Amino acid sequence: MNTSPIKKRHGLQRVWYAAGYSFKGLRAGWHEPAFRQELLLSLVLIPLALVIARQWLEAVALIGTVVLVMITELLNTAVESVVDRVGPEWHELSGRAKDMGSAAVLLSLLLCGGVWVTAVVRWWWY
């Protein structure tokens, strides 16, 4: 069995190649409609967070929840890709894995929405 090429690299060369793989993953994520929508929305929300936040911790919470949604979406897409790679036939465990990935995205979206609604209400009325 062949080992991963990244395992053969050390030091800054390993970091350089790992960063390349990460950007390759982001490019792959761009081809997923949900991730693309969330990324484009983040281009609006992240600067807006800096406007409505009253303290730096509030800005971190607002930005952090947006980034968390994108992270969760990428992980969900990775799970779905692995399940699809295993085989096209339906299996209970495959369905469960995909459903749990989708549930993780839902929870991250609810958290993000709750944090943002709270911050906007606080900014608007106080």
Side-chain angles (χ1 to χ4, degrees), residues 29-125:
W30 178 255
H31 296 291
E32 292 294 321
F35 181 74
R36 190 169 47 247
Q37 291 168 348
E38 292 158 357
L39 184 62
L40 292 174
L41 186 59
S42 76
L43 296 177
V44 174
L45 291 179
I46 290 174
L48 184 61
L50 300 175
V51 172
I52 69 171
R54 295 196 175 161
Q55 299 175 349
W56 72 272
L57 278 176
E58 190 174 2
V60 168
L62 291 168
I63 294 168
T65 58
V66 171
V67 173
L68 179 65
V69 168
M70 292 187 294
I71 292 168
T72 309
E73 188 66 56
L74 286 172
L75 291 172
N76 179 47
T77 301
V79 168
E80 289 181 353
S81 296
V82 169
V83 168
D84 291 344
R85 168 67 176 90
V86 169
E89 68 279 349
W90 184 88
H91 189 278
E92 181 182 350
L93 293 176
S94 298
R96 189 182 312 170
K98 286 186 169 190
D99 292 345
M100 290 181 355
S102 180
V105 172
L106 173 65
L107 290 175
S108 69
L109 286 167
L110 291 173
L111 175 65
C112 185
V115 169
W116 272 86
V117 165
T118 302
V120 168
V121 166
R122 183 173 174 254
W123 175 78
W124 188 265
W125 276 293

Side-chain angles (χ1 to χ4, degrees), residues 1-18 21 24:
M1 180 181 250
N2 294 335
T3 60
S4 169
I6 197 161
K7 301 279 186 203
K8 298 175 186 175
R9 296 182 177 93
H10 301 286
L12 289 178
Q13 186 183 33
R14 181 181 177 121
V15 172
W16 178 258
Y17 278 90
Y21 295 135
K24 188 175 177 182

